[in-house]
Amino acid sequence: MNNPQVIKIGGSLLRSSKSYVESAQNIKKFIEEKETTPIVVVSAMKGATDLLIKVAENNDKHALKTFIENYLNVASELDNYSLLERVKYLLDKLVKVSEGNVNDLKRFDLILSFGEKISKLILTSALENEGIKACSLDADELIITNDKHGDAEIDLGMSKSNVVVMKELISEGILPVIEGFIGRSYSGEITTLGRGGSDYTASSISHMLNASHLYLITDTPGIYSSDPNLISNVKLVKELDYQEALEASLFSIKRINPKTFLPLLNSNTEVHIGLWNNFNTTVRNSTSVSKDQKVKVIGYKNEGGGEDNIKIGIVGREAPKDSEVIKRVIETLASDGIDYNEIYINKNRPSISIAVSKDIFVKALSSLHNSLIEVR
Amino acid sequence: MFDAPNTKIKNIDIAIVGFGNVGRSLAKLIVYKRQVLEDKFNLRINVKAIFDSKGAVVKEEGFSNYELLKLTEIPRSKISEFENGLRGASLKEIYDKIKPNIHVELTPSNYIDGEPSTSNILTALNLDCNVVTATKSPLVLHYDEIFSLTKKKGLKVKFRGTVMGGTPFIDLLMSLKSYEIIKVEGILNATTNFILSTMYEKLISYEQALAEAKAIGVAEADPSIDIKGIDAAAKLIIIGRLLGKRISLDKVERDDISKLTLNDIINSIKENRVIKYIATIDESSASVKLRSLEKSDPLANINGTTNAVRIVTDSGDLFFVGKGGGGMETAHSVLDDIISIGVSS
């Protein structure tokens, strides 16, 4: 049997019943074109997790009401009685849990898990409406994590024997749909994997089942060279290796959870990031990534300690090794009159990082981007 | 160690009766473990029928992985609405047709008359089916009847899922053949232990702790079976049977934990002690009581939904700790019972 392929559907794509139907149609097209049954990992509907955080943190009744209405609307519009019953069953459970009103990380994770769980049922039902044999699998049974609630790590060794069932199902032509973002701790409780955790679920499953391709489907055509909200002339990044992608995610590029790329280091899974019909970014093994482009991404992160410091990261495997790049970074900062507090040329990681004060970081980001990426 | 290459696959046909939490977990577990069971034990488990409170679905050649997973997606008590589902089907009629090797009883316990589980089990035995049950009430109320029929028919009844459902405690106890067991005592109910440990951890009242337990699904909407000690007493009766003792439910002395106040908890902390809800069975009596334990007692340190048992024997104490229940955990015990009948029959 060929190695499996994994598709992860991001929440940014799931906004209405129509978008679930479209996702199902796109999966159907994928099956027909690639002649293979994929494994599908699904996120919660757009905005659902934010509402649940309000429910969990402040017992926000309005947020709960909105969450319930959003999902009930989608489920009703799909016009499937059994789906609606099951969505209602989960929503009833959520209401009961929310009444507990206890501040506790376990309860927090339990509440947050409902967004993905319901989304999975809806997508499975939409797939069946398209005539695909699809089944919902439960991440809180199959994905085993440590006990770190809110930011759990997947135990790949322990989960592997559980997720093998997906391979059996696809060999029978059954499409497994599993929710991302959640897992089950060693002590049997529901855990969540942190923001953007569905990508991490998908990459972990890809690792465990030795997938040939992982498609992270989102609402942008790929990874941009910097934050498009701050930089107007961003470029799409064509290729990254896993280490570079990990580094870029640490500098908050596309809000990908940094844990996503950890299971893939040393793997052979090709990761494609983009829209259904347009995957511009590929992440693959470093041996098959061209070395021509020295700087690929310029991101940033808030530094833990100093509140007023922002760390800008210039990401690219060759960047910290190349004296031309380093020279250009220093010259750019000097010629544009940008004061920096620290420059760090990392020999073990694919980045150069520069600490600048918060009030000038956008200018610094823009100068460096123009100099290193725009004008090459 | 498990490999037995080129052995013919043995088919075990089962019917699942009761399709709530444990039943659904079992259906999924059979899918998850299908390949492993074939590779390691040369066993293929065919689920030929599933019953819920309103009806049944039957498939003579056994449900496929896809169908089993789809069945777990059906809303509660709606199984008869599945393709070819039957409303109000009779066990006997269906068993006459599909002739399962094992009847799996997973209906809720009923301590008033033990129904429908007792009749289900007796019907199955009369039709020459082995039985695996996670339902306690038939064993609590009709043990003699069930086991005399089992013996007469030369069949097996297994019930690992009934006590400390997430562990092989029952099997362990049955294996202690050369020991004299003087006393068995422990924490046998997950809900009440969760409530008690939450009261200690957060210094809140019984009512608040119960509300928390309900919120995270540890307590049922009506928790009286747990808080009145009926569930733990039922488990003691089953343990008693394995020790050759015959006790009836009304002979088990029980405390109601709802009478416990936050003051009781605070006083016990001052005295460096811990109150636990302890089920005990010895030569002369059985009880489920609130007991104040020394902090150093291992049972005093069992918290949350964990269960623990101390077996006092003529050759020293044995201490056993593990998961109480939960759908998937109990399903594992049920599946192990099915496998054990499967490999030996």
Tab-separated table of all heavy atoms in Angstrom, chain A residues 81-82 85-86 89 96-97 100 102 104 110 124 128 133-138 141-142 165 168-169 172 174 184 187, chain B residues 25 28 31-35 64-66 69-70 73-76 78 81 202 211-212 214-216 323 328-329:
chain	number	residue	atom	x	y	z
A	81	TYR	N	-30.794	14.565	10.168
A	81	TYR	CA	-31.418	14.441	11.483
A	81	TYR	C	-30.446	13.865	12.524
A	81	TYR	O	-30.326	14.361	13.637
A	81	TYR	CB	-32.664	13.561	11.361
A	81	TYR	CG	-33.184	13.046	12.669
A	81	TYR	CD1	-33.866	13.905	13.532
A	81	TYR	CD2	-32.980	11.725	13.047
A	81	TYR	CE1	-34.322	13.452	14.741
A	81	TYR	CE2	-33.439	11.263	14.254
A	81	TYR	CZ	-34.107	12.123	15.107
A	81	TYR	OH	-34.551	11.679	16.299
A	82	SER	N	-29.733	12.830	12.107
A	82	SER	CA	-28.833	12.160	13.045
A	82	SER	C	-27.697	13.092	13.468
A	82	SER	O	-27.293	13.123	14.631
A	82	SER	CB	-28.305	10.886	12.396
A	82	SER	OG	-27.107	10.496	12.964
A	85	GLU	N	-29.015	15.579	15.994
A	85	GLU	CA	-29.178	14.940	17.313
A	85	GLU	C	-27.845	14.874	18.058
A	85	GLU	O	-27.754	15.146	19.239
A	85	GLU	CB	-29.688	13.502	17.129
A	85	GLU	CG	-31.126	13.382	16.756
A	85	GLU	CD	-32.015	13.499	17.971
A	85	GLU	OE1	-31.970	12.597	18.824
A	85	GLU	OE2	-32.754	14.503	18.062
A	86	ARG	N	-26.812	14.484	17.325
A	86	ARG	CA	-25.517	14.302	17.978
A	86	ARG	C	-24.887	15.640	18.352
A	86	ARG	O	-24.245	15.763	19.385
A	86	ARG	CB	-24.578	13.478	17.097
A	86	ARG	CG	-24.887	11.985	17.232
A	86	ARG	CD	-23.997	11.148	16.382
A	86	ARG	NE	-24.152	11.509	15.001
A	86	ARG	CZ	-23.155	11.633	14.138
A	86	ARG	NH1	-21.928	11.414	14.540
A	86	ARG	NH2	-23.390	11.958	12.895
A	89	TYR	N	-26.613	16.703	21.428
A	89	TYR	CA	-26.146	15.898	22.564
A	89	TYR	C	-24.851	16.505	23.116
A	89	TYR	O	-24.695	16.690	24.333
A	89	TYR	CB	-25.921	14.460	22.083
A	89	TYR	CG	-25.378	13.517	23.120
A	89	TYR	CD1	-26.208	12.949	24.077
A	89	TYR	CD2	-24.024	13.168	23.135
A	89	TYR	CE1	-25.713	12.072	25.028
A	89	TYR	CE2	-23.514	12.299	24.081
A	89	TYR	CZ	-24.357	11.755	25.021
A	89	TYR	OH	-23.864	10.892	25.968
A	96	LYS	N	-23.733	21.645	30.455
A	96	LYS	CA	-23.559	21.094	31.810
A	96	LYS	C	-22.163	21.389	32.341
A	96	LYS	O	-21.996	21.792	33.487
A	96	LYS	CB	-23.802	19.581	31.793
A	96	LYS	CG	-25.275	19.254	31.878
A	96	LYS	CD	-25.474	17.767	32.138
A	96	LYS	CE	-26.875	17.380	31.762
A	96	LYS	NZ	-26.948	16.264	30.830
A	97	VAL	N	-21.174	21.158	31.500
A	97	VAL	CA	-19.795	21.397	31.937
A	97	VAL	C	-19.595	22.870	32.274
A	97	VAL	O	-18.965	23.212	33.271
A	97	VAL	CB	-18.794	20.976	30.837
A	97	VAL	CG1	-17.382	21.307	31.260
A	97	VAL	CG2	-18.915	19.493	30.547
A	100	GLY	N	-20.456	24.198	35.714
A	100	GLY	CA	-19.577	23.854	36.837
A	100	GLY	C	-18.899	25.075	37.446
A	100	GLY	O	-18.689	25.142	38.635
A	102	VAL	N	-15.882	26.278	37.665
A	102	VAL	CA	-14.704	26.058	38.494
A	102	VAL	C	-13.490	26.454	37.666
A	102	VAL	O	-13.436	26.148	36.481
A	102	VAL	CB	-14.544	24.560	38.833
A	102	VAL	CG1	-13.536	24.405	39.940
A	102	VAL	CG2	-15.864	23.942	39.192
A	104	ASP	N	-10.149	25.694	36.621
A	104	ASP	CA	-9.346	24.491	36.702
A	104	ASP	C	-8.921	24.158	35.269
A	104	ASP	O	-9.740	24.213	34.352
A	104	ASP	CB	-10.276	23.431	37.323
A	104	ASP	CG	-9.739	22.043	37.299
A	104	ASP	OD1	-9.378	21.584	36.222
A	104	ASP	OD2	-9.714	21.402	38.368
A	110	LEU	N	-11.442	20.585	28.771
A	110	LEU	CA	-12.673	19.863	28.455
A	110	LEU	C	-13.613	20.784	27.672
A	110	LEU	O	-14.168	20.396	26.637
A	110	LEU	CB	-13.322	19.384	29.760
A	110	LEU	CG	-14.629	18.613	29.647
A	110	LEU	CD1	-14.433	17.353	28.811
A	110	LEU	CD2	-15.147	18.223	31.031
A	124	THR	N	-17.782	15.204	8.826
A	124	THR	CA	-18.023	13.799	8.472
A	124	THR	C	-19.365	13.664	7.753
A	124	THR	O	-19.487	12.985	6.732
A	124	THR	CB	-18.027	12.906	9.733
A	124	THR	OG1	-16.834	13.157	10.457
A	124	THR	CG2	-18.100	11.434	9.372
A	128	GLU	N	-20.239	12.504	3.887
A	128	GLU	CA	-21.181	11.444	3.543
A	128	GLU	C	-22.224	11.935	2.543
A	128	GLU	O	-22.617	11.186	1.653
A	128	GLU	CB	-21.849	10.915	4.803
A	128	GLU	CG	-20.866	10.166	5.669
A	128	GLU	CD	-21.577	9.270	6.651
A	128	GLU	OE1	-22.308	9.832	7.483
A	128	GLU	OE2	-21.409	8.053	6.572
A	133	LYS	N	-17.477	7.417	1.917
A	133	LYS	CA	-17.563	6.621	3.140
A	133	LYS	C	-16.617	7.225	4.166
A	133	LYS	O	-15.400	7.016	4.101
A	133	LYS	CB	-17.133	5.177	2.865
A	133	LYS	CG	-18.251	4.271	2.388
A	133	LYS	CD	-17.685	2.928	1.973
A	133	LYS	CE	-18.135	1.815	2.873
A	133	LYS	NZ	-17.555	0.521	2.493
A	134	ALA	N	-17.153	8.013	5.087
A	134	ALA	CA	-16.294	8.678	6.074
A	134	ALA	C	-16.716	8.286	7.479
A	134	ALA	O	-17.885	8.013	7.724
A	134	ALA	CB	-16.405	10.193	5.912
A	135	CYS	N	-15.746	8.219	8.392
A	135	CYS	CA	-16.025	7.884	9.782
A	135	CYS	C	-15.327	8.852	10.717
A	135	CYS	O	-14.194	9.225	10.468
A	135	CYS	CB	-15.458	6.503	10.106
A	135	CYS	SG	-16.597	5.221	9.746
A	136	SER	N	-16.009	9.216	11.784
A	136	SER	CA	-15.374	10.057	12.799
A	136	SER	C	-14.562	9.195	13.754
A	136	SER	O	-15.074	8.208	14.274
A	136	SER	CB	-16.431	10.773	13.636
A	136	SER	OG	-17.178	11.632	12.844
A	137	LEU	N	-13.323	9.572	13.989
A	137	LEU	CA	-12.523	8.937	15.039
A	137	LEU	C	-12.314	9.964	16.154
A	137	LEU	O	-12.368	11.166	15.906
A	137	LEU	CB	-11.180	8.469	14.495
A	137	LEU	CG	-11.224	7.370	13.443
A	137	LEU	CD1	-9.818	7.004	13.005
A	137	LEU	CD2	-11.934	6.124	13.958
A	138	ASP	N	-12.048	9.483	17.361
A	138	ASP	CA	-11.958	10.401	18.495
A	138	ASP	C	-10.527	10.614	18.948
A	138	ASP	O	-9.866	9.682	19.401
A	138	ASP	CB	-12.787	9.853	19.667
A	138	ASP	CG	-14.260	9.775	19.304
A	138	ASP	OD1	-14.742	10.744	18.692
A	138	ASP	OD2	-14.901	8.754	19.591
A	141	GLU	N	-9.458	9.540	22.335
A	141	GLU	CA	-9.184	8.117	22.571
A	141	GLU	C	-7.856	7.703	21.940
A	141	GLU	O	-7.169	6.824	22.438
A	141	GLU	CB	-10.301	7.255	21.966
A	141	GLU	CG	-11.569	7.300	22.795
A	141	GLU	CD	-12.752	6.665	22.092
A	141	GLU	OE1	-12.598	6.181	20.956
A	141	GLU	OE2	-13.839	6.685	22.692
A	142	LEU	N	-7.514	8.328	20.811
A	142	LEU	CA	-6.379	7.822	20.026
A	142	LEU	C	-5.087	8.610	20.226
A	142	LEU	O	-3.998	8.059	20.107
A	142	LEU	CB	-6.744	7.831	18.532
A	142	LEU	CG	-7.967	6.989	18.149
A	142	LEU	CD1	-8.226	7.082	16.656
A	142	LEU	CD2	-7.772	5.528	18.535
A	165	VAL	N	-4.978	2.188	13.192
A	165	VAL	CA	-6.301	1.826	12.680
A	165	VAL	C	-6.674	2.684	11.460
A	165	VAL	O	-7.394	2.233	10.572
A	165	VAL	CB	-7.373	1.935	13.793
A	165	VAL	CG1	-7.627	3.384	14.193
A	165	VAL	CG2	-8.670	1.290	13.362
A	168	GLU	N	-5.654	0.979	8.352
A	168	GLU	CA	-6.556	-0.127	8.008
A	168	GLU	C	-7.831	0.402	7.366
A	168	GLU	O	-8.328	-0.152	6.390
A	168	GLU	CB	-6.894	-0.941	9.261
A	168	GLU	CG	-5.711	-1.755	9.761
A	168	GLU	CD	-5.854	-2.110	11.233
A	168	GLU	OE1	-6.990	-2.284	11.700
A	168	GLU	OE2	-4.818	-2.205	11.918
A	169	LEU	N	-8.351	1.488	7.946
A	169	LEU	CA	-9.592	2.044	7.404
A	169	LEU	C	-9.388	2.524	5.977
A	169	LEU	O	-10.195	2.216	5.095
A	169	LEU	CB	-10.102	3.179	8.296
A	169	LEU	CG	-10.593	2.763	9.682
A	169	LEU	CD1	-10.899	3.982	10.544
A	169	LEU	CD2	-11.831	1.870	9.593
A	172	GLU	N	-9.475	0.017	3.399
A	172	GLU	CA	-10.827	-0.447	3.075
A	172	GLU	C	-11.632	0.641	2.359
A	172	GLU	O	-12.841	0.504	2.170
A	172	GLU	CB	-11.580	-0.836	4.359
A	172	GLU	CG	-10.998	-2.030	5.094
A	172	GLU	CD	-11.663	-2.251	6.464
A	172	GLU	OE1	-12.854	-1.930	6.611
A	172	GLU	OE2	-10.978	-2.731	7.376
A	174	ILE	N	-12.250	3.628	3.548
A	174	ILE	CA	-13.011	4.450	4.493
A	174	ILE	C	-12.155	5.655	4.882
A	174	ILE	O	-10.985	5.493	5.237
A	174	ILE	CB	-13.353	3.658	5.769
A	174	ILE	CG1	-14.107	2.386	5.405
A	174	ILE	CG2	-14.150	4.514	6.743
A	174	ILE	CD1	-14.204	1.402	6.548
A	184	ARG	N	-5.669	12.910	24.822
A	184	ARG	CA	-6.045	12.314	26.100
A	184	ARG	C	-4.768	12.124	26.913
A	184	ARG	O	-3.781	11.564	26.426
A	184	ARG	CB	-6.673	10.952	25.803
A	184	ARG	CG	-7.050	10.136	27.001
A	184	ARG	CD	-7.399	8.713	26.503
A	184	ARG	NE	-7.852	7.867	27.572
A	184	ARG	CZ	-9.087	7.890	28.055
A	184	ARG	NH1	-9.969	8.720	27.548
A	184	ARG	NH2	-9.434	7.085	29.019
A	187	SER	N	-3.383	10.272	32.422
A	187	SER	CA	-4.351	9.974	33.475
A	187	SER	C	-5.786	9.971	32.955
A	187	SER	O	-6.722	9.912	33.741
A	187	SER	CB	-4.177	10.946	34.639
A	187	SER	OG	-4.003	12.251	34.173
B	25	SER	N	-17.866	2.252	23.208
B	25	SER	CA	-16.408	2.140	23.314
B	25	SER	C	-15.952	0.755	22.876
B	25	SER	O	-14.926	0.605	22.218
B	25	SER	CB	-15.957	2.390	24.754
B	25	SER	OG	-16.290	3.699	25.136
B	28	LYS	N	-15.888	0.456	19.112
B	28	LYS	CA	-14.724	1.147	18.561
B	28	LYS	C	-13.444	0.355	18.839
B	28	LYS	O	-12.592	0.194	17.962
B	28	LYS	CB	-14.596	2.553	19.157
B	28	LYS	CG	-15.621	3.510	18.578
B	28	LYS	CD	-15.333	4.945	18.959
B	28	LYS	CE	-16.067	5.322	20.219
B	28	LYS	NZ	-15.926	6.742	20.556
B	31	VAL	N	-12.824	-2.354	16.506
B	31	VAL	CA	-12.266	-1.853	15.235
B	31	VAL	C	-10.778	-1.537	15.414
B	31	VAL	O	-9.938	-1.964	14.617
B	31	VAL	CB	-13.028	-0.598	14.753
B	31	VAL	CG1	-12.360	-0.001	13.518
B	31	VAL	CG2	-14.487	-0.934	14.468
B	32	TYR	N	-10.463	-0.794	16.492
B	32	TYR	CA	-9.069	-0.376	16.704
B	32	TYR	C	-8.140	-1.592	16.813
B	32	TYR	O	-7.000	-1.542	16.391
B	32	TYR	CB	-8.913	0.438	18.001
B	32	TYR	CG	-9.685	1.736	18.074
B	32	TYR	CD1	-9.883	2.373	19.298
B	32	TYR	CD2	-10.207	2.340	16.935
B	32	TYR	CE1	-10.582	3.572	19.381
B	32	TYR	CE2	-10.912	3.538	17.015
B	32	TYR	CZ	-11.104	4.141	18.241
B	32	TYR	OH	-11.798	5.322	18.336
B	33	LYS	N	-8.625	-2.656	17.447
B	33	LYS	CA	-7.746	-3.788	17.761
B	33	LYS	C	-7.895	-4.956	16.797
B	33	LYS	O	-7.287	-6.006	17.003
B	33	LYS	CB	-8.023	-4.286	19.196
B	33	LYS	CG	-7.796	-3.246	20.272
B	33	LYS	CD	-6.317	-2.938	20.467
B	33	LYS	CE	-6.116	-1.823	21.478
B	33	LYS	NZ	-4.731	-1.367	21.555
B	34	ARG	N	-8.703	-4.796	15.778
B	34	ARG	CA	-8.995	-5.943	14.913
B	34	ARG	C	-7.718	-6.598	14.356
B	34	ARG	O	-7.531	-7.804	14.461
B	34	ARG	CB	-9.912	-5.528	13.762
B	34	ARG	CG	-10.466	-6.720	13.001
B	34	ARG	CD	-11.355	-6.318	11.844
B	34	ARG	NE	-12.589	-5.662	12.219
B	34	ARG	CZ	-13.668	-6.271	12.694
B	34	ARG	NH1	-13.657	-7.569	12.906
B	34	ARG	NH2	-14.758	-5.603	12.965
B	35	GLN	N	-6.838	-5.758	13.833
B	35	GLN	CA	-5.634	-6.309	13.222
B	35	GLN	C	-4.749	-7.001	14.258
B	35	GLN	O	-4.245	-8.097	14.032
B	35	GLN	CB	-4.869	-5.174	12.526
B	35	GLN	CG	-3.916	-5.632	11.449
B	35	GLN	CD	-4.635	-6.388	10.342
B	35	GLN	OE1	-5.641	-5.919	9.830
B	35	GLN	NE2	-4.143	-7.571	10.019
B	64	SER	N	-19.016	-4.703	9.443
B	64	SER	CA	-17.679	-4.272	8.998
B	64	SER	C	-17.176	-3.164	9.921
B	64	SER	O	-17.944	-2.596	10.709
B	64	SER	CB	-17.759	-3.742	7.570
B	64	SER	OG	-18.510	-2.532	7.563
B	65	ASN	N	-15.898	-2.837	9.798
B	65	ASN	CA	-15.336	-1.716	10.561
B	65	ASN	C	-16.142	-0.452	10.332
B	65	ASN	O	-16.446	0.290	11.262
B	65	ASN	CB	-13.884	-1.453	10.125
B	65	ASN	CG	-12.938	-2.465	10.722
B	65	ASN	OD1	-13.249	-3.106	11.724
B	65	ASN	ND2	-11.781	-2.617	10.104
B	66	TYR	N	-16.455	-0.214	9.070
B	66	TYR	CA	-17.197	0.992	8.720
B	66	TYR	C	-18.549	1.007	9.429
B	66	TYR	O	-18.940	2.008	10.047
B	66	TYR	CB	-17.382	1.047	7.202
B	66	TYR	CG	-18.187	2.227	6.720
B	66	TYR	CD1	-17.699	3.515	6.833
B	66	TYR	CD2	-19.441	2.046	6.138
B	66	TYR	CE1	-18.427	4.602	6.386
B	66	TYR	CE2	-20.182	3.131	5.684
B	66	TYR	CZ	-19.674	4.406	5.815
B	66	TYR	OH	-20.397	5.478	5.370
B	69	LEU	N	-18.231	1.632	13.207
B	69	LEU	CA	-17.962	3.040	13.532
B	69	LEU	C	-19.193	3.898	13.285
B	69	LEU	O	-19.494	4.815	14.051
B	69	LEU	CB	-16.769	3.555	12.725
B	69	LEU	CG	-15.416	2.972	13.137
B	69	LEU	CD1	-14.313	3.410	12.170
B	69	LEU	CD2	-15.037	3.375	14.558
B	70	LYS	N	-19.909	3.589	12.232
B	70	LYS	CA	-21.139	4.349	11.952
B	70	LYS	C	-22.179	4.116	13.048
B	70	LYS	O	-22.914	5.023	13.422
B	70	LYS	CB	-21.717	3.939	10.597
B	70	LYS	CG	-21.015	4.560	9.428
B	70	LYS	CD	-21.335	6.032	9.346
B	70	LYS	CE	-20.076	6.841	9.163
B	70	LYS	NZ	-20.229	8.257	9.331
B	73	GLU	N	-21.980	6.276	15.929
B	73	GLU	CA	-22.388	7.660	15.699
B	73	GLU	C	-23.898	7.859	15.819
B	73	GLU	O	-24.393	8.972	15.756
B	73	GLU	CB	-21.940	8.112	14.294
B	73	GLU	CG	-20.420	8.195	14.148
B	73	GLU	CD	-19.987	8.577	12.741
B	73	GLU	OE1	-20.856	8.866	11.899
B	73	GLU	OE2	-18.771	8.576	12.481
B	74	ILE	N	-24.646	6.754	15.956
B	74	ILE	CA	-26.104	6.850	16.048
B	74	ILE	C	-26.490	7.459	17.400
B	74	ILE	O	-25.921	7.103	18.416
B	74	ILE	CB	-26.715	5.426	15.954
B	74	ILE	CG1	-26.315	4.779	14.632
B	74	ILE	CG2	-28.203	5.421	16.198
B	74	ILE	CD1	-27.324	4.902	13.565
B	75	PRO	N	-27.455	8.382	17.403
B	75	PRO	CA	-27.887	8.922	18.703
B	75	PRO	C	-28.372	7.807	19.646
B	75	PRO	O	-28.770	6.740	19.199
B	75	PRO	CB	-29.040	9.851	18.317
B	75	PRO	CG	-28.838	10.179	16.887
B	75	PRO	CD	-28.165	8.998	16.275
B	76	ARG	N	-28.325	8.110	20.935
B	76	ARG	CA	-28.704	7.128	21.966
B	76	ARG	C	-30.113	6.552	21.724
B	76	ARG	O	-31.017	7.290	21.363
B	76	ARG	CB	-28.680	7.780	23.351
B	76	ARG	CG	-27.386	8.488	23.661
B	76	ARG	CD	-26.432	7.563	24.338
B	76	ARG	NE	-25.059	7.968	24.010
B	76	ARG	CZ	-23.988	7.621	24.705
B	76	ARG	NH1	-24.103	6.840	25.759
B	76	ARG	NH2	-22.788	7.988	24.339
B	78	LYS	N	-31.339	4.888	19.434
B	78	LYS	CA	-31.901	5.034	18.093
B	78	LYS	C	-31.328	3.993	17.141
B	78	LYS	O	-31.354	4.168	15.930
B	78	LYS	CB	-31.593	6.444	17.542
B	78	LYS	CG	-32.245	7.581	18.301
B	78	LYS	CD	-33.663	7.838	17.804
B	78	LYS	CE	-34.455	8.788	18.674
B	78	LYS	NZ	-33.943	10.134	18.712
B	81	GLU	N	-32.990	2.683	14.063
B	81	GLU	CA	-33.140	3.515	12.862
B	81	GLU	C	-32.007	3.320	11.870
B	81	GLU	O	-32.026	3.863	10.775
B	81	GLU	CB	-33.244	4.998	13.265
B	81	GLU	CG	-34.552	5.275	13.977
B	81	GLU	CD	-34.640	6.673	14.558
B	81	GLU	OE1	-33.814	7.530	14.190
B	81	GLU	OE2	-35.526	6.887	15.397
B	202	LYS	N	-9.908	21.489	47.593
B	202	LYS	CA	-10.349	22.879	47.429
B	202	LYS	C	-11.084	23.425	48.642
B	202	LYS	O	-11.545	24.571	48.613
B	202	LYS	CB	-11.263	22.970	46.204
B	202	LYS	CG	-10.546	22.508	44.936
B	202	LYS	CD	-11.339	22.763	43.692
B	202	LYS	CE	-10.494	22.452	42.467
B	202	LYS	NZ	-11.286	22.272	41.264
B	211	ALA	N	-21.275	19.196	42.478
B	211	ALA	CA	-21.527	19.994	41.271
B	211	ALA	C	-20.321	19.912	40.327
B	211	ALA	O	-20.472	19.777	39.113
B	211	ALA	CB	-21.814	21.444	41.645
B	212	GLU	N	-19.120	19.947	40.899
B	212	GLU	CA	-17.925	19.815	40.057
B	212	GLU	C	-17.857	18.455	39.383
B	212	GLU	O	-17.517	18.333	38.213
B	212	GLU	CB	-16.660	19.994	40.916
B	212	GLU	CG	-16.240	21.418	41.003
B	212	GLU	CD	-14.796	21.557	41.459
B	212	GLU	OE1	-13.943	20.722	41.092
B	212	GLU	OE2	-14.533	22.518	42.190
B	214	LYS	N	-20.308	16.548	38.646
B	214	LYS	CA	-21.309	16.485	37.574
B	214	LYS	C	-20.814	17.251	36.352
B	214	LYS	O	-20.995	16.812	35.217
B	214	LYS	CB	-22.626	17.111	38.056
B	214	LYS	CG	-23.443	16.182	38.913
B	214	LYS	CD	-24.800	16.810	39.203
B	214	LYS	CE	-25.588	15.957	40.171
B	214	LYS	NZ	-26.849	16.593	40.561
B	215	ALA	N	-20.188	18.408	36.608
B	215	ALA	CA	-19.750	19.263	35.505
B	215	ALA	C	-18.752	18.534	34.606
B	215	ALA	O	-18.817	18.653	33.394
B	215	ALA	CB	-19.143	20.551	36.034
B	216	ILE	N	-17.838	17.802	35.192
B	216	ILE	CA	-16.860	17.147	34.311
B	216	ILE	C	-17.271	15.712	33.968
B	216	ILE	O	-16.498	14.950	33.400
B	216	ILE	CB	-15.424	17.196	34.864
B	216	ILE	CG1	-15.314	16.417	36.170
B	216	ILE	CG2	-14.957	18.630	35.058
B	216	ILE	CD1	-13.873	16.117	36.512
B	323	LYS	N	-7.431	2.340	37.670
B	323	LYS	CA	-8.578	3.100	37.168
B	323	LYS	C	-9.883	2.410	37.550
B	323	LYS	O	-10.005	1.194	37.409
B	323	LYS	CB	-8.494	3.156	35.648
B	323	LYS	CG	-7.866	4.434	35.160
B	323	LYS	CD	-8.957	5.455	34.953
B	323	LYS	CE	-8.419	6.784	34.487
B	323	LYS	NZ	-9.327	7.879	34.775
B	328	MET	N	-14.044	3.609	27.847
B	328	MET	CA	-12.980	2.882	27.165
B	328	MET	C	-12.269	1.898	28.104
B	328	MET	O	-11.941	0.793	27.724
B	328	MET	CB	-11.975	3.892	26.624
B	328	MET	CG	-11.472	3.734	25.216
B	328	MET	SD	-11.964	2.372	24.204
B	328	MET	CE	-12.367	3.166	22.687
B	329	GLU	N	-12.056	2.325	29.351
B	329	GLU	CA	-11.360	1.459	30.303
B	329	GLU	C	-12.152	0.175	30.533
B	329	GLU	O	-11.607	-0.929	30.508
B	329	GLU	CB	-11.157	2.185	31.647
B	329	GLU	CG	-10.116	3.298	31.622
B	329	GLU	CD	-10.673	4.641	31.175
B	329	GLU	OE1	-11.839	4.686	30.702
B	329	GLU	OE2	-9.944	5.638	31.291
